[in-house]
Amino acid sequence: MAWVGREILPHEADVRAWLLRTLDPDDLEDVIQETYCQIAGLKGVSHIASGRAYFFTAARSIVLMRLRRARVVSIESVTEIENTGIAMDEPTPERVVAARRELERVQRLIEELPDRCRRIFELRKVDGLSQREVAEQLGVTEFVIGNEVAKGMKLILQSIADGDRKTARAMARMGYDERARNSTSDQ
Amino acid sequence: MSERETAQAINDRAAEWVARMDREGHDPAVRAELKAWLAGDDRRRGAYFRAKVAWNMLDRASVLRAGQPPAYEVAAAGGGWFSRRRVILGGGAAAAAAAALVVGLPRMDFFAAPDEQIQTAIGEIRRVPLSDGSLAAVNTQTALDVTMKPKLRQIALKGGEAWFQVAKDRARPFVVEVGDVRVRAVGTAFSVRREANGVDVQVTEGVVEVWRVGDEANIRRVAAGTRAFVAPDKAVVSVAAASEEIDNALAWRTGQLVFDGDTVAEAVAEFNRYNVRKIELSDAALGQKKMIGRFRTNEPDAFAHAVEILTDSRAVITADRIILSSD
């Protein structure tokens, strides 16, 4: 799990960008999910030299499998994906450094959350309180905390998909609005 | 496409599941509900795995806590706050726990991983309620995996020792696996210890069955007050009456060690299981002397003083070790 967080997640935005060259955007999320499912089934990771290269290769094999399953495969689409060699080649040194800065990435993911959500993630993940203890400390119900944690996770996952850059846009897409949130979750 | 759950909906549900498992993951009913949701759709499994990886990655933030050493989390898969808060170690203890981890490295295969992985560091003794209502008392430096299946309660003991008080459930036998040795119980209490030269089973209540995989014709019944020993090279399971011995041998559950006619060498080996500060015997003759006594597992110095008095020997106690010698 920790390996996936360190060696796979940071490259997700690049894999997505690469897939979009040949893939219908409607199918992108399916391919990403199926790729993660395949990674979840790995018996071990000691044989994998580069998580990044593995991620690209796994995603490509999922795309090829889908093309074959679809039956109406045009020869072009298969050769297209097979010829789209790209950024799966070894990452540049800056990229390596960026991926290794796991703590910085984690810190940024939490900092970019809306205020109250951020406070909850800090209590839960930095101070190590349970959701119940966070609820007691903030004087709200566990239910409220649970909702905020789920919302925060949605934003963080979107951030990972966007390469940690476009959280604001993600919030807009989710209709995440401070006023609306305050009126529904404050009990 | 319209009747198909959208990928975005799956991602959102996965995020909600991670939040919920963090709150209620210790509840077997909630775990079963998650399993049902995941079943049959690779996309859901992938989305949940991705969300869980991201959630666990956020634990890195714990090093930002002022003045705290990095927390070391023992529980791996399915962990939530419950397991996380149970064992947070720092410094030397974390190193010891990391060493103990080698006994049972958590598997990468996420969905095949056990429901719960329990690991203890040197000197740590933990009582862990299992989701079926059974209780496990887990001794020092032990690693075990718990997997609750519909027709089987499967416990894999990778190393160390544990005592189980098994909740009755005729339809779901409780089986402890140690290498190719199997110990089966329905509703009873017993301990299993993995040693270098075999597997020791001690029964405190009811009856268990002990056998080796591939040799199901020779299943031995072991009743309360007896113990069985399975050596790796022997086909036969040896069974001996030992009710008082068992009481003494299982005193660790209350943090005690009881010796009654055991040699000093045996007692020293026992203490060394529980403490990072090891006791060394500088001569063999002293090791052969017999002794009687009751000690706390975490007080090797009290033990060393008792040995000094009982055997007229000398104990040199330093910060990192204790040396017992005859003069």
Side-chain angles (χ1 to χ4, degrees), chain B residues 95-175:
Chain B
L101 261 176
V102 178
V103 188
L105 275 174
R107 291 178 54 155
M108 170 68 193
D109 192 351
F110 181 68
F111 291 103
D115 299 340
E116 190 171 9
Q117 293 181 310
I118 302 166
Q119 258 138 6
T120 52
I122 286 188
E124 184 187 4
I125 295 162
R126 205 195 301 167
R127 293 166 67 83
V128 184
L130 305 179
S131 61
D132 68 324
S134 300
L135 177 74
V138 185
N139 205 355
T140 174
Q141 275 191 295
T142 296
L144 46 91
D145 288 353
V146 180
T147 310
M148 295 294 172
K149 298 180 175 171
K151 297 240 159 103
L152 177 69
R153 292 172 282 175
Q154 188 180 36
I155 315 291
L157 179 70
K158 312 286 194 54
E161 177 176 17
W163 172 83
F164 305 96
Q165 186 155 46
V166 181
K168 275 201 171 51
D169 187 349
R170 289 243 157 248
R172 227 164 36 136
F174 188 100
V175 178

Side-chain angles (χ1 to χ4, degrees), chain B residues 53-64:
Chain B
V53 166
W55 172 254
N56 284 10
M57 182 179 72
L58 298 177
D59 286 336
R60 286 281 285 136
S62 65
V63 303
L64 302 171

